[in-house]
Amino acid sequence: MKRSDIKRRPLADTVLSSLEPEAKEYRETYGIDRIYFVVAANGRKRWEFRYKRIADGKWSWLGLGGYPEISAKRAREKAAEAIELIERGVEPANQKQAVKKAQEAATETLFRSVAAAWLEKKEKGGRAESTLDKIHTYLQKDILPALGDMQVHDITRRHCAYLLASIEARSAFNVAKKTRGWLKEIFSQAIAKGMMEYNPASELLAIAAEAPKTKQYPHLLEPELPDFLRAMQTTTSRLIARTAAWLTIWTASRPGMVRWAEWTDIDLDEGVWSVSAAKMKMDRDILIPLPDQAIAALRELHELTGRGRYLFPGIGQKTAVISENTINKVFAGVGYKGKLVGHGTRHTASTLLREHEWTKDHIEMQLAHKEGGISGLYNKAKYLSQRRHMMQWYADYLDALAAGMTEALRIEFKSKVNAG
């Protein structure tokens, strides 16, 4: 419909929807309260209100919104609101800007916004990806659903207490502990920015549920290993998963370290894996010797994943690497669900090596345990050559157990303990 065909005002909806654009943008008076309907050259339509500015009495325009998002009825309501502001001595345009700023400020002080800024700082601080992965997971799973849409200054200790109680209710005591620390940091950042005055997460430890005494991870002792190792040799798990599982066995490394291992950290020619302090639960880097069995398996894996960053990339997952349950599923798939988990391989290795009288310091360094006291501060020994010998012995010993350990072999292995 051309605007020259308009017969009556106020403009009917059929007229508003059918008005055709022209070479230049044009305005048509709606017919009530100085409301105008604007049709742009590209066909877009919007509402405007004409009013006199309070400061100088000059005519000006106030946008009321686009059409058809803003109906004629709503445009009249917004014009009436503007007239009321003018009668109160308030400039409509200034009010609009003030509302916009208030909305932006309210968004900035939402807990989810403050948490996002805190997390961004963590990411820039060089935190291990495995740690950031955990933070992302529990922010999305627990923290943001409970607090995300609240203003930080409205959050009380009771809100935080309810959140922690819900996590403890599913016996996730370690998650609850980490969440307490994260909340304190997030609120501290908000306090520093002047968004709130006190930290509602500051006293949560006083009401934290007591976690049950730590239980050892399911693990196997030497008599149980032959059947398990033979079962592992027939696993049907895909290459990425089974190699990750074997690497935890051969190196006694934490599953998280294995999952996030990068090809740039692996030197297959030297048979060593370099793990930075940022990825460790320690304040120092560590070199992990790779036995021949691990080197051979990683060379095969390199054909599949070597062009990427990670040894064990995730497939169709939210994280860049395999999930934390992948290794456990490999063990479960060969009949050892509940009998062995990834962390349990560290118990198995520690127990077997100690029973065969390997040096305690070498075992502790391989397990990346931090020594306590003054010696822990100053003992920077890597024991790399000794651990290389020890872990090759361990991998060979496991092979012998799977093949059927003879008394002659047992004596031969005993002679090699601490002989490297």
Side-chain angles (χ1 to χ4, degrees):
M1 176 180 181
K2 299 185 182 300
R3 61 172 170 163
S4 58
D5 295 330
I6 296 175
K7 303 298 183 185
R8 67 178 68 176
R9 300 175 196 275
L11 301 177
D13 283 335
T14 53
V15 174
L16 297 173
S17 61
S18 62
L19 272 176
E20 299 175 2
E22 297 180 359
K24 293 184 178 180
E25 181 176 280
Y26 66 87
R27 288 187 180 93
E28 279 294 324
T29 177
Y30 172 67
I32 297 178
D33 293 336
R34 301 194 301 280
I35 299 173
Y36 287 77
F37 192 68
V38 185
V39 181
N42 62 6
R44 292 180 181 174
K45 300 172 181 179
R46 68 181 188 274
W47 298 99
E48 288 186 349
F49 170 66
R50 195 172 189 222
Y51 74 102
K52 283 187 177 181
R53 292 199 299 256
I54 296 173
D56 55 18
K58 293 183 178 180
W59 287 101
S60 185
W61 296 97
L62 177 70
L64 301 179
Y67 177 87
E69 295 81 13
I70 299 297
S71 65
K73 179 182 178 183
R74 181 56 186 145
R76 293 195 301 271
E77 291 172 349
K78 296 183 77 170
E81 292 167 4
I83 292 171
E84 182 180 349
L85 287 172
I86 294 169
E87 291 174 348
R88 285 165 35 202
V90 178
E91 190 75 40
N94 293 347
Q95 174 73 2
K96 186 176 181 180
Q97 292 174 357
V99 170
K100 183 179 179 181
K101 288 181 179 179
Q103 289 173 340
E104 290 174 350
T107 300
E108 184 181 1
T109 55
L110 280 176
F111 178 86
R112 69 173 62 255
S113 300
V114 177
W118 167 80
L119 182 57
E120 183 179 1
K121 189 174 181 181
K122 291 278 188 187
E123 292 169 339
K124 291 179 178 178
R127 288 299 182 98
E129 291 194 56
S130 56
T131 299
L132 294 173
D133 180 44
K134 283 187 174 65
I135 295 174
H136 275 288
T137 297
Y138 293 111
L139 273 174
Q140 297 301 324
K141 182 178 181 180
D142 294 305
I143 303 174
L144 293 182
L147 306 175
D149 294 325
M150 296 183 66
Q151 296 290 323
V152 286
H153 51 76
D154 290 335
I155 297 174
T156 66
R157 286 193 172 93
R158 186 177 293 276
H159 291 120
C160 295
Y162 282 154
L163 168 59
L164 270 297
S166 69
I167 297 173
E168 292 169 345
R170 63 173 192 266
S171 299
F173 297 102
N174 189 50
V175 175
K177 178 182 177 181
K178 290 183 181 298
T179 299
R180 285 197 301 272
W182 296 336
L183 288 176
K184 285 181 68 175
E185 291 182 16
I186 293 170
F187 289 127
S188 291
Q189 184 169 303
I191 290 171
K193 292 181 177 180
M195 297 177 179
M196 58 195 307
E197 295 300 323
Y198 81 100
N199 194 320
S202 62
E203 304 297 331
L204 293 176
L205 182 60
I207 59 171
E210 185 175 352
K213 291 183 179 180
T214 303
K215 295 181 180 179
Q216 287 189 329
Y217 291 103
H219 63 284
L220 302 177
L221 300 178
E222 185 171 333
E224 303 168 289
L225 287 173
D227 288 341
F228 165 71
L229 294 166
R230 286 191 284 269
M232 277 294 295
Q233 290 171 351
T234 63
T235 179
T236 57
S237 295
R238 60 193 178 93
L239 179 64
I240 291 175
R242 71 171 182 264
T243 305
W246 274 112
L247 194 59
T248 63
I249 295 171
W250 286 322
T251 65
S253 298
R254 293 183 177 90
M257 287 168 49
V258 172
R259 291 171 54 227
W260 290 94
E262 301 182 30
W263 282 114
T264 54
D265 297 333
I266 303 291
D267 189 333
L268 294 177
D269 293 329
E270 292 295 324
V272 69
W273 171 19
S274 304
V275 185
S276 66
K279 297 179 181 178
M280 300 288 292
K281 292 185 176 181
M282 302 172 67
D283 58 359
R284 62 185 175 192
D285 301 342
I286 188 171
L287 299 177
I288 299 175
L290 299 172
D292 295 340
Q293 293 88 334
I295 293 172
L298 292 179
R299 288 193 187 280
E300 181 183 4
L301 180 68
H302 192 269
E303 295 295 317
L304 179 63
T305 68
R307 293 185 182 86
R309 177 180 177 182
Y310 299 105
L311 276 67
F312 309 108
I315 298 178
Q317 299 183 30
K318 294 181 180 179
T319 58
V321 298
I322 56 175
S323 76
E324 57 186 342
N325 293 319
T326 299
I327 293 171
N328 294 344
K329 287 180 180 179
V330 174
F331 297 153
V334 297
Y336 282 79
K337 182 176 182 179
K339 300 177 184 178
L340 179 67
V341 296
H343 273 283
T345 61
R346 293 163 56 77
H347 291 268
T348 296
S350 178
T351 302
L352 189 149
L353 291 170
R354 286 173 185 272
E355 287 178 345
H356 287 274
E357 301 180 350
W358 284 91
T359 302
K360 174 186 174 182
D361 288 345
H362 302 169
I363 298 172
E364 292 300 294
M365 179 60 73
Q366 183 64 26
L367 295 172
H369 285 163
K370 185 174 181 180
E371 198 173 355
I374 296 298
S375 60
L377 295 175
Y378 295 105
N379 184 7
K380 303 299 182 183
K382 304 292 186 183
Y383 305 122
L384 181 59
S385 62
Q386 297 96 325
R387 289 188 294 116
R388 189 187 297 276
H389 173 61
M390 178 179 71
M391 297 313 292
Q392 186 60 59
W393 180 96
Y394 181 62
D396 292 341
Y397 193 83
L398 295 180
D399 286 347
L401 287 175
M405 179 72 74
T406 64
E407 187 59 30
L409 269 177
R410 194 176 295 278
I411 293 172
E412 181 181 341
F413 274 107
K414 186 174 179 61
S415 69
K416 295 179 180 178
V417 172
N418 294 318

